[in-house]
Amino acid sequence: MPTVGLFNKEGQKVGDMQLAETVFSANISEAAVHQVVVALLANKRQGTQSAKTRAEVSGGGIKPWRQKGTGRARQGSIRAPQWIHGGIVFAPKPRSYRVSVPKSMRRVAMKSVLTSKVQENEMIVLEDLSLETPKTKEMIKMINAFEVKKALIVTAESNENVYKSARNIPGVTVVPVNNINVYDLLKYEKLIITKDAVSKIEEVYA
């Protein structure tokens, strides 16, 4: 059973915490992680891009000059793609980029990333993370105590004080545990997570 250190906000170790082996010591599947990340990024795309084809731009109803005898190349319309203000060839149109991934694959990918975080010592478990008022200085102090530059901070519940304290710190993001995803876990150098949030992950993925 994997064990990680338990820290306070000052960066001092206060004990150890045993993690669920089925979640934090699972077999790592790079293929599942890759497929889930591709799907997450694809699903973020709006797909609202649009341009006009030669059939949609205005004008061009008459042939610009006669077919033969001018010495110039034949032209059928001033709105053909080779003309300035002409239509776009293979113009992009609104479409959905959505990619579906099986729930079982998402679970495998999440366990794989969490396991890699533990194996590479990139996961810091906090005994508690509570602030009476939003205070960026306190959050910076905590980040510096762990010598971290880019961090994903995961709380058990939505915590407005913690969120407001960290939102202006470059490279630091705060999310509740029910909003974490594989892409964000990979994106950040360190995962700083509360003890309660770890328990919730184990409830869902164990």
Side-chain angles (χ1 to χ4, degrees), residues 67-113:
Q67 180 83 347
K68 293 180 178 291
T70 64
R72 289 179 289 185
R74 56 193 175 188
Q75 299 292 331
S77 169
I78 61 169
R79 292 296 178 253
Q82 72 270 22
W83 285 71
I84 295 174
H85 304 303
I88 303 297
V89 182
F90 308 127
K93 294 296 176 185
R95 54 164 288 192
S96 171
Y97 289 94
R98 185 152 192 85
V99 177
S100 295
V101 177
K103 185 177 179 181
S104 58
M105 182 176 286
R106 293 200 301 270
R107 288 177 66 90
V108 169
M110 181 63 75
K111 288 181 182 182
S112 297
V113 175

Side-chain angles (χ1 to χ4, degrees), residues 129 131-135 139 155 157-167 174 176:
L129 181 57
L131 299 172
E132 293 181 5
T133 56
K135 207 149 185 117
M139 189 61 67
T155 56
E157 306 286 346
S158 289
N159 191 320
E160 192 173 353
N161 288 342
V162 174
Y163 170 74
K164 287 183 175 179
S165 299
R167 65 182 174 182
V174 176

Side-chain angles (χ1 to χ4, degrees), residues 91-183:
K93 294 296 176 185
R95 54 164 288 192
S96 171
Y97 289 94
R98 185 152 192 85
V99 177
S100 295
V101 177
K103 185 177 179 181
S104 58
M105 182 176 286
R106 293 200 301 270
R107 288 177 66 90
V108 169
M110 181 63 75
K111 288 181 182 182
S112 297
V113 175
L114 290 171
T115 298
S116 69
K117 286 289 180 187
V118 173
Q119 290 179 354
E120 295 170 18
N121 295 319
E122 294 179 353
M123 179 169 152
I124 299 168
V125 182
L126 294 179
E127 187 178 31
D128 181 52
L129 181 57
S130 56
L131 299 172
E132 293 181 5
T133 56
K135 207 149 185 117
T136 303
K137 188 182 289 186
E138 280 193 34
M139 189 61 67
I140 291 174
K141 188 178 177 182
M142 185 191 80
I143 297 296
N144 290 338
F146 291 111
E147 299 179 354
V148 174
K149 292 182 179 179
K150 289 185 69 177
L152 179 68
I153 300 174
V154 179
T155 56
E157 306 286 346
S158 289
N159 191 320
E160 192 173 353
N161 288 342
V162 174
Y163 170 74
K164 287 183 175 179
S165 299
R167 65 182 174 182
N168 289 330
I169 305 174
V172 177
T173 300
V174 176
V175 294
V177 69
N178 58 337
N179 283 354
I180 61 172
N181 62 63
V182 172
Y183 176 70

Side-chain angles (χ1 to χ4, degrees), residues 38-54:
V38 167
L40 284 167
L41 294 178
N43 295 344
K44 283 184 176 182
R45 298 184 68 174
Q46 287 184 310
T48 55
Q49 75 277 37
S50 184
K52 291 183 178 181
T53 65
R54 64 183 293 170

